[in-house]
Amino acid sequence: MAKASERAPVLGPAFIRLLARFNDEGTSPAAPAVPERLAQWFDWNRAITLSKALDNLPPAPEPGATYDPAQDAEYAQVRARLSAATQAEIDLSPPRNPSPADLELPPGFAPYRQHYLTQQRAMQTASGRLRGRLRDMLARQSPAKARLAEVDAVMEATLSPREHTLLSHVPVLLGLHYQRLYDTVAHDPDDAPASEPPAAPTGPWLATFRQDLRIALLAELDVRFHPIDGLLAALRTR
């Protein structure tokens, strides 16, 4: 009888579980306590800024647009556009001027890495612009919501650099996932002499990888839009 896997399930959001599967190290570290992790990310300057946002009266909002149902439509358009981009065809042309880092990637992975990085930049730009605009609208609704908008601004300034650093590792994990699939399914080193270059990646395993890449992009999109969902919920509350 086959031995059951001793790997414990990874706890956390779907995106974290997906990345753990890509990593496949056979370990399942305990999920860190959120307050403890936030305490590591907040230096004393940020802590003071957050305290002021919570305790002091928020500044008077500047004149500008206010919330209306059209904002929901714009949100839906932005998110639908980013979601559709994850399903777009991937340009599989090799880099024209490959860098040393590109040459170290698994065979054929460079276009997928570039595609993921392009989609990440698009998500970061669109979500950041939308988040700032909704936050400005929230500040115009009431003093209590202005305070919430101020707290969100502090949290974005504090956590966005950490988020950017952590999300930059996703293409690396995808590269490990790609290499593992390539090694175990698509490539048998006994099939060709060592002097021959690796064959162009192909086969059902590649379709599996492409689907996993798109799932990762959609999961990251959800993560990036969580604060925006919260701002919209606050804007709709009277």
Side-chain angles (χ1 to χ4, degrees):
M1 185 171 65
K3 183 178 180 180
S5 173
E6 296 179 357
R7 182 178 182 179
V10 175
L11 303 178
F15 191 37
I16 300 301
R17 298 197 303 272
L18 180 67
L19 298 183
R21 178 165 66 85
F22 292 164
N23 197 23
D24 196 31
E25 290 183 345
T27 60
S28 178
V34 174
E36 293 179 5
R37 179 55 57 88
L38 287 177
Q40 296 173 10
W41 290 2
F42 272 78
D43 58 25
W44 67 273
N45 286 317
R46 292 296 186 188
I48 291 175
T49 304
L50 180 59
S51 178
K52 290 179 178 179
L54 290 168
D55 298 334
N56 297 345
L57 289 175
E62 297 180 359
T66 57
Y67 171 76
D68 59 53
Q71 309 308 321
D72 292 286
E74 181 181 2
Y75 165 90
Q77 286 181 336
V78 171
R79 182 147 186 172
R81 184 178 70 248
L82 294 170
S83 179
T86 67
Q87 304 296 326
E89 286 299 318
I90 299 173
D91 182 4
L92 298 179
S93 303
R96 294 182 179 179
N97 300 303
S99 65
D102 289 327
L103 298 176
E104 295 176 1
L105 294 174
F109 177 66
Y112 296 103
R113 176 180 178 275
Q114 184 58 49
H115 176 78
Y116 201 97
L117 292 174
T118 299
Q119 299 303 318
Q120 276 190 321
R121 287 192 291 268
M123 285 189 280
Q124 182 177 10
T125 299
S127 62
R129 185 182 300 119
L130 184 56
R131 183 175 181 178
R133 187 159 60 249
L134 293 178
R135 187 166 57 226
D136 291 342
M137 293 178 185
L138 187 65
R140 299 184 187 106
Q141 283 195 340
S142 71
K145 292 186 178 182
R147 177 175 283 109
L148 177 60
E150 190 77 4
V151 169
D152 181 74
V154 174
M155 296 298 286
E156 182 180 19
T158 301
L159 301 182
S160 287
R162 296 283 187 170
E163 179 185 78
H164 178 76
T165 299
L166 293 173
L167 291 176
S168 68
H169 292 297
V170 178
V172 177
L173 294 178
L174 280 167
L176 296 175
H177 184 49
Y178 179 100
Q179 183 72 68
R180 189 159 41 250
L181 291 172
Y182 178 82
D183 288 343
T184 60
V185 178
H187 178 61
D188 183 350
D190 295 331
D191 288 344
S195 59
E196 292 186 10
T202 185
W205 71 273
L206 190 56
T208 298
F209 171 78
R210 290 167 67 96
Q211 181 63 18
D212 285 341
L213 181 146
R214 292 186 170 107
I215 291 172
L217 282 170
L218 290 173
E220 181 172 331
L221 182 62
D222 284 339
V223 170
R224 290 183 181 273
F225 268 70
H226 282 164
I228 298 172
D229 292 335
L231 290 172
L232 274 174
L235 283 164
R236 296 188 191 107
T237 303
R238 295 296 180 181

